[in-house]
Amino acid sequence: QDNDLTEESIMLKKVPSNVSDISDTNTSDLKSERSRFEDEFIYKSVSLRTYFKYISWSGWTTYICYIILTISWQTSRVIIDFWLSYWSNIDFRSETQAFWDLVVYSLFCMISIVLSALSNTFGQYGALKARKLVHRRMLNNIILCPLSFFDSTPIGRIDNCFSNDLVIIDKKIGTSMQRLVHFVFLCLCGIIVNAIITPWFLIIVVPICLVYYTVQKFYRCSSRDLQKLEGNLRSPMITHCNETISGLDTIRAFGKQTWFMSEMINRIDNHTKVFLIISSSNRWLGIALDYLGGAIVFVATMVALITTTFFSSAISSAMVGLAINYTLLVPVYLNWVVKFFADLETYMSAVERTEEFATIPIENYRSESKLISYICYIPVYQLYYIGIFI
């Protein structure tokens, strides 16, 4: 019988998994599919569904309350500025009237401070809920993934998702979204104030806003793709570093230290080149927006001066000063709106990557009988109970 054994008959065959929807025989297909997905993912824009998904993680009620409080806060600030303009435009006030004017001003200031604190609290609370849910969903799903997933997915991608992407979700997305909403309402307040005082300002500001939109769209698309490219070039560095450390004995045995070192340097160089292009694009955006901001300030100032010259009875000098003050701030606010909007769209790619890991098909452990419980730490320093069926 031993003579009848051939090489084919004694060759071990890989048995497909009977508990997983992803068979081990499909590993090569998974690799090709994943590489194709990464190539397409670099140039794919972030959909509105991703933004809505993040807001739903934060809680729609929390986010709506945050928007309402932010609008109320900005409205109170505009009322304070109008009250100061009204107060300074009066030539003579008695001591009692000045006292009550000061009381009203102090009351508006206190209301603005309270609304600011509540707005920031709701914004941070929504971001806290989102990052807790993202980490818990992704961690639960990764633990239950079949072994074929870890065979077909580079460990650098998993490390990058649990390190850099979670850092972005923990620290940057919530803050960027709050600042974006804040500066958007500041810009709207500046435009509305100028429109109330000098309505002719709207005729000239509309074309400038269209130019702003064109510039920010061009920068936003470029920045988004560059940031995604930077993220995809970071994973090979981490993967190569992990592989080098784990196979250090083999590398030294075959004398391949020089090759591994040069390969690591090449990957670092490719990653650094993207950073150089990102910095150059940021400088280009700053110069372009400064020129547009100067145009807005010039136009608004000329409109205010012409209005004061020919319609001096219809508008006071205090209101003209208020309009010019808001005009000087609008370009600064618009610059920050473009910057935070581009940053937020870039950061949302981290949400897409974490959502990909959170929706990977998992092993069907419920077909067995026993339940093992694991206690896992998550970034918010709270313990979560994760049930794993095996």
Side-chain angles (χ1 to χ4, degrees):
Q1 293 179 351
D2 294 338
N3 295 330
D4 295 333
L5 292 177
T6 61
E7 184 178 356
E8 289 79 5
S9 62
I10 63 175
M11 184 179 296
L12 294 177
K13 295 183 179 180
K14 184 179 290 187
V15 180
S17 174
N18 57 356
V19 294
S20 173
D21 294 334
I22 301 179
S23 175
D24 293 339
T25 58
N26 295 330
T27 301
S28 60
D29 296 337
L30 284 174
K31 289 182 179 179
S32 60
E33 180 69 19
R34 188 170 299 278
S35 62
R36 183 185 65 81
F37 174 77
E38 288 179 354
D39 293 337
E40 294 178 355
F41 182 72
I42 296 177
Y43 301 102
K44 187 180 70 173
S45 61
V46 179
S47 62
L48 289 176
R49 182 174 175 271
T50 305
Y51 292 94
F52 290 146
K53 184 180 293 292
Y54 181 82
I55 294 174
S56 65
W57 293 340
S58 302
W60 284 101
T61 304
T62 304
Y63 197 77
I64 291 173
C65 291
Y66 167 71
I67 294 295
I68 294 174
L69 289 171
T70 304
I71 294 174
S72 303
W73 174 30
Q74 299 303 328
T75 304
S76 65
R77 293 183 60 178
V78 173
I79 292 174
I80 290 173
D81 292 335
F82 270 101
W83 181 258
L84 284 177
S85 298
Y86 165 76
W87 191 2
S88 62
N89 197 41
I90 299 176
D91 296 332
F92 175 76
R93 302 287 286 180
S94 64
E95 185 176 347
T96 304
Q97 291 174 334
F99 172 76
W100 285 110
D101 289 340
L102 181 61
V103 169
V104 173
Y105 175 75
S106 302
L107 180 62
F108 281 137
C109 289
M110 292 299 297
I111 293 174
S112 178
I113 292 172
V114 172
L115 291 174
S116 173
L118 291 175
S119 175
N120 291 326
T121 301
F122 272 87
Q124 291 296 329
Y125 177 68
L128 175 64
K129 290 174 60 178
R131 56 178 172 256
K132 286 170 59 178
L133 183 60
V134 167
H135 184 273
R136 184 168 53 186
R137 291 176 68 248
M138 187 171 63
L139 183 60
N140 289 354
N141 203 73
I142 287 293
I143 291 177
L144 298 177
C145 281
L147 293 179
S148 58
F149 166 76
F150 298 97
D151 292 337
S152 61
T153 305
I155 191 64
R157 289 197 69 226
I158 301 176
D159 291 343
N160 186 35
C161 192
F162 274 94
S163 57
N164 185 69
D165 290 341
L166 282 182
V167 167
I168 290 175
I169 295 174
D170 288 346
K171 296 183 178 180
K172 296 182 178 180
I173 289 184
T175 304
S176 297
M177 185 172 290
Q178 290 183 57
R179 291 179 178 177
L180 175 62
V181 173
H182 175 61
F183 281 107
V184 165
F185 284 119
L186 283 176
C187 289
L188 291 177
C189 289
I191 294 174
I192 291 172
V193 168
N194 278 277
I196 292 174
I197 298 175
T198 55
W200 298 275
F201 174 75
L202 291 177
I203 301 176
I204 307 174
V205 79
V206 170
I208 298 178
C209 288
L210 292 177
V211 176
Y212 255 99
Y213 175 77
T214 304
V215 171
Q216 68 86 23
K217 184 178 180 181
F218 178 78
Y219 168 77
R220 185 165 47 86
C221 296
S222 303
S223 176
R224 179 188 64 233
D225 293 338
L226 287 173
Q227 291 289 347
K228 289 182 179 180
L229 182 60
E230 185 270 334
N232 283 328
L233 289 177
R234 188 190 303 110
S235 298
M237 284 196 311
I238 301 175
T239 302
H240 186 75
C241 183
N242 291 334
E243 291 174 350
T244 303
I245 294 175
S246 61
L248 197 57
D249 296 337
T250 305
I251 294 172
R252 289 175 177 174
F254 286 91
K256 294 294 183 179
Q257 297 94 325
T258 304
W259 184 89
F260 274 86
M261 181 66 71
S262 62
E263 181 67 19
M264 188 65 186
I265 292 175
N266 289 334
R267 298 190 182 193
I268 293 175
D269 287 342
N270 293 332
H271 184 256
T272 307
K273 290 175 184 177
V274 180
F275 267 114
L276 178 61
I277 301 175
I278 292 174
S279 299
S280 301
S281 65
N282 290 334
R283 299 287 75 79
W284 174 86
L285 177 68
I287 294 174
L289 294 183
D290 285 341
Y291 278 113
L292 290 175
I296 290 179
V297 171
F298 174 76
V299 169
T301 304
M302 293 302 297
V303 170
L305 292 177
I306 292 173
T307 304
T308 306
T309 303
F310 294 98
F311 304 96
S312 57
S313 59
I315 183 173
S316 63
S317 58
M319 288 297 178
V320 172
L322 179 63
I324 294 176
N325 181 45
Y326 270 91
T327 302
L328 293 173
L329 294 176
V330 165
V332 179
Y333 296 153
L334 284 175
N335 292 355
W336 284 112
V337 166
V338 175
K339 184 67 170 63
F340 284 123
F341 188 46
D343 290 343
L344 182 61
E345 188 175 25
T346 301
Y347 297 152
M348 279 298 168
S349 61
V351 177
E352 289 182 334
R353 288 191 290 269
T354 55
E355 181 64 15
E356 176 197 355
F357 280 103
T359 55
I360 295 172
I362 62 175
E363 293 275 4
N364 186 16
Y365 289 101
R366 296 184 181 275
S367 60
E368 301 295 334
S369 58
K370 193 176 179 181
L371 173 66
I372 296 181
S373 301
Y374 289 85
I375 301 296
C376 299
Y377 253 117
I378 68 171
V380 291
Y381 308 106
Q382 293 185 7
L383 290 173
Y384 280 86
Y385 182 85
I386 302 175
I388 300 178
F389 294 88
I390 64 172

